[in-house]
Amino acid sequence: MREDELATRVVEHFRAAFDDVDIHLEEPYDHYGNRGVADVYVRVRTPEPVDYLIELKADAAVRHATGANEILRQYRRMERYFYKDDEHAIRTKLGREGPGVHALLLFAPTKRCVEHVREHAALYESVDPEATVEGVEAARKVAFLTNLDRAPEGELGFLSLNGPLAFDSVAFREAVPSGSRLADALWGDD
């Protein structure tokens, strides 16, 4: 599975799930030499603006990375510097309910990604789900994508690796959609 396939599903999901949405692919940022690219940057209005900064990881990215530290460093750099770039602005808003920013690191539901995450589960589970970005409440999620085939209906999902369910725990296994690509990647040969 390639990153462009994942990005397509993300775009389909946000277009179907929200009426007022701005979607930007490969959105660059640059803050005093701290350059990078958010794979997908989405701003929805519900009615206040809520942003989704998305880093996607498919087989090629996992294969070419030197390890989980490199992937986490790239993800954290995006979170840290995206809003310091003058082109992107997020403001605190009185009365905002919930996070104004969702920083997502999303893995493809493939054997290669599952093996990578299994090997480095402790590192991915250690990402604190709560954060503040430029004074705005933020949520961090490291997860496997699920329901890829239902993205055009706005039903793309994810199974968190840094939430309350430890990877490979009984509760995590029970949360994996049966018959899904993730189930096949986790237990296809069992």
Side-chain angles (χ1 to χ4, degrees), residues 5-20:
E5 294 175 83
L6 299 178
T8 298
R9 296 298 188 262
V10 167
V11 168
E12 291 171 341
H13 167 78
F14 279 98
R15 283 185 179 157
F18 297 96
D19 292 328
D20 192 0

Side-chain angles (χ1 to χ4, degrees), residues 7 20 33 35 41 49 57 59-60 64-65 70-71 83 86 90 109 117 162 166-167 184:
D20 192 0
R35 289 187 289 261
Y41 166 52
K57 294 299 174 199
D59 291 353
H64 294 345
E70 179 183 343
I71 290 172
Y83 292 106
D86 293 336
I90 189 84
V117 168
N162 67 322
F167 183 66
D184 289 345

Side-chain angles (χ1 to χ4, degrees), residues 20-183:
D20 192 0
V21 61
D22 293 322
I23 301 170
H24 304 270
L25 298 174
E26 299 296 322
E27 181 71 9
Y29 60 89
D30 185 1
H31 176 71
Y32 295 112
N34 292 299
R35 289 187 289 261
V37 175
D39 289 329
V40 184
Y41 166 52
V42 179
R43 176 166 283 172
V44 300
R45 287 164 191 82
T46 63
E48 68 266 355
V50 176
D51 286 0
Y52 294 81
L53 288 178
I54 304 170
E55 182 66 33
L56 298 169
K57 294 299 174 199
D59 291 353
V62 167
R63 182 175 53 248
H64 294 345
T66 58
N69 282 342
E70 179 183 343
I71 290 172
L72 286 168
R73 192 170 31 255
Q74 183 179 19
Y75 168 68
R76 296 303 294 269
R77 185 181 315 120
M78 174 187 71
E79 175 190 317
R80 186 172 296 124
Y81 296 114
F82 188 84
Y83 292 106
K84 291 185 185 303
D85 182 312
D86 293 336
E87 296 293 315
H88 308 103
I90 189 84
R91 294 188 312 261
T92 57
K93 189 166 180 86
L94 294 175
R96 180 189 298 271
E97 292 188 25
V101 175
H102 294 267
L104 308 173
L105 172 57
L106 303 175
F107 288 94
T110 64
K111 283 197 174 292
R112 183 177 298 278
C113 288
V114 165
E115 289 167 4
H116 169 81
V117 168
R118 183 172 279 127
E119 182 178 344
H120 305 288
L123 295 176
Y124 292 120
E125 289 171 345
S126 73
V127 173
D128 188 351
E130 297 178 14
T132 302
V133 174
E134 296 300 303
V136 174
E137 181 184 347
R140 290 188 195 111
K141 189 160 298 283
V142 179
F144 283 110
L145 283 165
T146 63
N147 303 334
L148 291 173
D149 298 332
R150 295 200 315 255
E153 291 82 41
E155 296 181 18
L156 185 68
F158 41 77
L159 186 53
S160 179
L161 298 163
N162 67 322
L165 307 180
F167 183 66
D168 272 345
S169 68
V170 171
F172 184 89
R173 288 175 154 290
E174 290 173 351
V176 174
S178 63
S180 68
R181 294 180 192 198
L182 183 54

